[in-house]
C-alpha cells in the first residue's frame, strides 16, 4: 500500500511525513479493507489568525478497488488534525467492513419509491426549478471572465472530474457517508438521470433528479431557461 503525503500551498516537513507513515498503519487498515491500493494525505494551512484553533487541515483519501473513502479534519496543528482525520477514516472503514458482511438487499428501494420513502424528495420541473420549491430573492451577480459570482464572493474555484458508473439510491447514500460529504452526485441506475442525494436536517435525506430531455424541450419556449437545482433545506 502506497502512502503519498503532499502539501497544498505549504511545506510538509520530513518529520511529519515519517509520523504519517507510522500513524497510518498499513496492516491495521488492510484488516478492514484488503483491497486498499493507496492513501493520499494532503496537508494545508489557514493563515488567518482568527482561525488559529483550526489552522492546520489534513485530508486523507483512501483509494481501493471499491468506493473511495475520504476523511478530513482541522486542528491547531497538523499532528492533532491527523489524529482526528484518522479516527474518521477508520470509523468509515469499519462501516464499510460491517456492511460487506451484512446481508445485502434488505430495505433497498428503487428511485420510483423515493418520493414515498424519503421525506420531501425533490425533482426538477422543465424550468430547472425544484418542484414545490420556494424561489429565493435575486442576488447581485458579478461576472469574472467566464464565471459568475453571486453576492460578494469570495471566488473559490476547485474543479474535479470523476468517472461515474450508474448506481442505486441506496448505494449513493452509502458512498456519500463514506466520503463524509453533505451531498453526492451520481447517475441513477433506474432512471439513468444525473441525480444528487443530499443531507437534510436531522437524519433525513433529499434527492434531486435532473431531467435533461425535459429541459431541452422547454428551451424553445423560454429564452434563457436552464437546468439546475438548489440543495436547500
Amino acid at each position: 500500500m502506497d502512502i503519498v503525503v503532499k502539501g497544498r500551498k505549504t511545506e510538509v516537513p520530513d518529520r511529519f511525513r515519517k509520523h504519517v507513515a507510522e500513524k497510518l498503519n498499513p496492516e491495521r487498515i488492510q484488516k478492514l479493507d484488503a483491497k486498499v491500493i493507496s492513501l493520499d494525505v494532503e496537508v494545508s494551512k489557514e493563515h488567518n489568525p482568527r482561525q488559529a484553533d483550526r489552522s492546520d487541515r489534513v485530508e486523507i483519501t483512501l483509494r481501493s478497488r471499491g468506493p473511495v473513502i475520504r476523511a478530513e479534519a482541522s486542528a491547531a496543528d497538523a499532528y492533532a488534525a491527523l489524529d482526528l482525520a484518522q479516527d474518521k477514516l477508520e470509523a468509515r472503514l469499519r462501516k464499510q467492513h460491517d456492511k460487506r458482511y451484512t446481508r445485502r438487499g434488505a430495505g433497498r428501494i428503487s428511485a420510483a419509491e423515493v418520493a414515498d420513502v424519503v421525506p420531501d424528495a425533490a425533482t426538477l420541473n422543465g424550468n430547472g426549478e425544484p418542484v414545490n420549491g420556494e424561489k429565493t430573492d435575486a442576488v447581485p451577480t458579478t461576472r469574472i471572465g467566464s464565471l459568475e459570482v453571486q453576492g460578494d464572493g469570495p471566488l473559490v474555484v476547485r474543479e474535479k472530474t470523476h468517472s461515474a458508473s450508474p448506481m442505486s439510491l441506496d448505494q449513493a447514500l452509502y458512498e456519500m457517508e463514506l466520503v463524509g460529504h453533505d451531498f453526492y452526485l451520481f447517475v441513477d441506475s433506474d432512471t439513468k438521470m444525473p441525480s444528487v442525494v443530499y443531507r437534510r436536517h436531522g437524519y433525513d435525506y433529499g434527492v434531486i433528479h435532473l431531467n435533461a430531455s425535459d429541459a431541452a424541450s422547454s428551451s424553445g419556449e423560454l429564452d434563457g431557461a436552464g437546468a439546475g437545482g438548489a440543495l436547500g433545506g
Side-chain angles (χ1 to χ4, degrees), residues 15-77:
R15 178 186 172 190
F16 183 77
R17 294 179 185 273
K18 294 178 181 178
H19 180 74
V20 170
E22 296 172 357
K23 187 73 174 176
L24 300 179
N25 188 306
E27 293 182 2
R28 183 174 177 179
I29 291 176
Q30 287 175 331
K31 284 182 180 179
L32 295 173
D33 187 350
K35 298 180 179 180
V36 60
I37 298 172
S38 66
L39 280 174
D40 293 338
V41 180
E42 182 179 273
V43 183
S44 58
K45 192 171 185 66
E46 172 58 58
H47 298 285
N48 188 341
R50 297 181 180 179
Q51 300 183 18
D53 59 335
R54 48 192 177 92
S55 60
D56 289 79
R57 178 175 172 275
V58 172
E59 178 181 298
I60 306 174
T61 302
L62 183 149
R63 305 183 189 280
S64 70
R65 292 191 291 275
V68 173
I69 301 177
R70 182 176 292 109
E72 57 188 67
S74 298
D77 63 77

Side-chain angles (χ1 to χ4, degrees), residues 10 69-70 80 82 88 91 101 115 120-122 153 167 169 171 175 193 215 228 231:
T10 187
I69 301 177
R70 182 176 292 109
L82 177 65
K88 291 181 180 180
Y101 291 96
D120 298 330
M167 65 179 66
L169 171 63
Q171 183 67 19
E175 297 203 15
M193 293 181 182
L231 304 184

Side-chain angles (χ1 to χ4, degrees), residues 67-168:
V68 173
I69 301 177
R70 182 176 292 109
E72 57 188 67
S74 298
D77 63 77
Y79 293 88
L82 177 65
D83 289 344
L84 294 172
Q86 181 196 20
D87 289 344
K88 291 181 180 180
L89 179 71
E90 292 188 356
R92 288 164 188 164
L93 277 171
R94 291 191 193 96
K95 182 176 181 179
Q96 183 193 40
H97 182 270
D98 294 343
K99 185 179 178 70
R100 189 179 298 123
Y101 291 96
T102 301
R103 200 172 87 187
R104 300 179 65 85
R108 299 171 73 93
I109 61 174
S110 67
E113 300 173 300
V114 171
D116 297 327
V117 178
V118 181
D120 298 330
T123 56
L124 299 182
N125 60 20
N127 297 327
E129 299 172 346
V131 177
N132 297 327
E134 296 181 357
K135 295 183 179 180
T136 57
D137 295 334
V139 178
T141 300
T142 304
R143 191 167 189 86
I144 302 178
S146 61
L147 299 174
E148 291 185 351
V149 182
Q150 291 187 336
D152 297 328
L155 174 63
V156 178
V157 178
R158 188 176 183 182
E159 183 176 348
K160 293 184 178 181
T161 301
H162 298 279
S163 58
S165 300
M167 65 179 66
S168 65

